[in-house]
Amino acid sequence: KEMALLLDTNLNAINVGAFNDGETSVKVEDRVRGKDVFLVCSTTSTDAVMQLLLTVSALQRSSAKRICVVIPYYGYSRQDRRTMDKREPIAAADMAKMLEEMGVDSVICVDLHNPLVKGFFSPIVPVDHLMPGPVAAAYFYEELFTGDEEDMDKSDQQPKEDPKITIVAAHENQVFRANGFRSALKKLSGSSDIRVALVSTSTDVNVHNKTKTSTVVGDVEGRKCIIVDDIINTGSTLKGAIDAVHKSGASEVYAWATHGVFHNPENNAPEMFQEIEGLKYMLISNSVTNNRDLPPKIRTLSIAPLLSEAVVRSLHSESIMTMLDVNKPKSRTLSK
């Protein structure tokens, strides 16, 4: 709905439900013959996957000109390889295969767990991979660099000193996201004192038990730290990173994760993060719909403007790669 409002258009009518026997029911109410269709769906569950696939089928059978699937959260993306000595699927690749077989023409994804998942699609199905890190960096820039300006004494003519910031990768695989976040924040703030650190986790195994040890590599003492991750579900990895950074002497600890997968009611991760004393707050995007009240320490950042701009650029065959340059965006609509 937010995307439709930003694009100055109406949502198409579609009825999605289930028959009495549990089978998925999909009915597209509006005419789509000869039209470009953008279908937005996060694959957070088996039901969501089936609804997406059958909706693509319905659009194909209704003679849609082009079908672009916008997937804010690409479910099964963490199953991107086979583990040694285990008989298991590569579910991320299987998801791509199913979407292709149903007739998808192009895909827009947001912060894939592994960017190489794009390669699971064939060359005839282009995939645009959006990284919302710069959007989150702009949020933290407003909070940490300009947030206190209104409270400053107007008679104080001394220039405000930039805060000392360290961007911390939650684990080794998040270093490239932390570097991208740092680059965006440096460009926004102009500060030269923004550093990168990481939390390295090692597992010690003995006869009696298995323990994990987290070590902070980099300078965090006396600095405001923003821990970067991509997906939070149980939150155990991020909690370990927050504790390690806090114990290493960080003055303030924040966190940013693109996907907060808290939609299952039995998931108590939000309440766990609320109780972490060393955490100021965590920022997540709305890539996953969480139909629950999140505690105060968990804030939500809308990526609807990001997705809306990507849709417009896709419709007009314009570059999507350059859209996250840190510039003031122009107001645009779907009309050609």
Side-chain angles (χ1 to χ4, degrees):
K1 291 181 179 179
E2 188 177 352
M3 288 179 62
L5 179 64
L6 291 169
L7 293 170
D8 193 24
T9 188
N10 296 320
L11 287 174
N12 290 98
I14 179 172
N15 290 324
V16 178
F19 294 106
N20 291 333
D21 60 358
E23 293 180 356
T24 300
S25 169
V26 173
K27 292 181 181 180
V28 179
E29 301 293 346
D30 294 335
R31 293 181 180 179
V32 295
R33 181 181 295 272
K35 295 184 178 181
D36 292 296
V37 180
F38 292 87
L39 179 59
V40 184
C41 179
S42 287
T43 53
T44 53
S45 65
T46 304
D47 286 342
V49 172
M50 284 303 300
Q51 291 167 5
L52 175 60
L53 295 174
L54 293 182
T55 302
V56 173
S57 174
L59 293 170
Q60 279 284 5
R61 296 173 191 274
S62 301
S63 302
K65 177 183 177 182
R66 182 170 71 102
I67 303 171
C68 176
V69 175
V70 182
I71 309 177
Y73 173 70
Y74 189 102
Y76 298 92
S77 64
R78 285 177 285 187
Q79 299 183 47
D80 59 358
R81 71 197 71 187
R82 288 185 62 186
T83 308
M84 187 178 295
D85 298 328
K86 288 188 178 181
R87 300 174 181 88
E88 58 188 6
I90 303 178
D94 298 332
M95 281 287 298
K97 184 67 174 178
M98 287 189 290
L99 287 169
E100 282 194 39
E101 288 295 323
M102 298 311 292
V104 167
D105 295 294
S106 61
V107 177
I108 298 175
C109 294
V110 178
D111 201 357
L112 293 167
H113 180 65
N114 184 347
L116 297 179
V117 168
K118 294 186 296 182
F120 291 144
F121 290 87
S122 68
I124 62 173
V125 180
V127 179
D128 289 301
H129 185 203
L130 305 180
M131 296 296 289
V135 183
Y139 182 96
F140 280 102
Y141 167 71
E142 294 291 336
E143 288 281 308
L144 302 181
F145 285 86
T146 66
D148 296 331
E149 288 183 355
E150 294 182 359
D151 298 330
M152 294 176 62
D153 186 354
K154 293 183 179 180
S155 62
D156 186 3
Q157 300 298 322
Q158 295 296 325
K160 181 182 178 182
E161 183 179 353
D162 288 338
K164 297 179 179 180
I165 306 291
T166 297
I167 312 302
V168 183
H171 50 84
E172 289 85 349
N173 293 336
Q174 300 298 327
V175 172
F176 80 96
R177 286 187 177 87
N179 281 324
F181 192 99
R182 173 179 178 264
S183 297
L185 191 57
K186 283 187 68 175
K187 188 172 182 180
L188 286 165
S189 65
S191 173
S192 59
D193 192 13
I194 301 178
R195 305 178 186 179
V196 172
L198 71 91
V199 177
S200 177
T201 302
S202 59
T203 303
D204 300 322
V205 181
N206 57 39
V207 177
H208 303 288
N209 55 24
K210 180 171 67 174
T211 59
K212 288 187 176 182
T213 304
S214 296
T215 304
V216 178
V217 180
D219 185 13
V220 300
E221 186 174 358
R223 304 175 68 86
K224 296 183 179 181
C225 296
I226 304 172
I227 302 176
V228 175
D229 207 343
D230 62 328
I231 301 174
I232 308 175
N233 188 7
T234 64
S236 58
T237 300
L238 186 57
K239 181 181 183 300
I242 293 170
D243 291 339
V245 172
H246 181 61
K247 290 177 181 178
S248 297
S251 61
E252 296 177 2
V253 180
Y254 305 85
W256 152 248
T258 305
H259 310 293
V261 190
F262 305 138
H263 60 289
N264 290 327
E266 61 272 15
N267 188 338
N268 64 352
E271 289 71 26
M272 176 190 70
F273 285 114
Q274 179 64 28
E275 298 301 320
I276 298 178
E277 183 178 353
L279 177 66
K280 293 285 287 186
Y281 65 78
M282 174 195 302
L283 184 67
I284 62 173
S285 81
N286 59 346
S287 63
V288 176
T289 301
N290 294 301
N291 294 318
R292 60 191 291 186
D293 293 329
L294 296 175
K297 280 190 177 182
I298 298 182
R299 303 183 183 183
T300 303
L301 176 69
S302 175
I303 56 172
L306 177 69
L307 295 175
S308 300
E309 180 68 14
V311 166
V312 172
R313 293 191 179 214
S314 176
L315 183 65
H316 292 270
S317 300
E318 297 178 0
S319 173
I320 293 180
M321 294 294 293
T322 59
M323 64 181 290
L324 285 176
D325 290 343
V326 186
N327 296 315
K328 185 177 180 180
K330 297 179 181 179
S331 177
R332 309 183 64 185
T333 66
L334 281 175
S335 59
K336 290 188 177 181

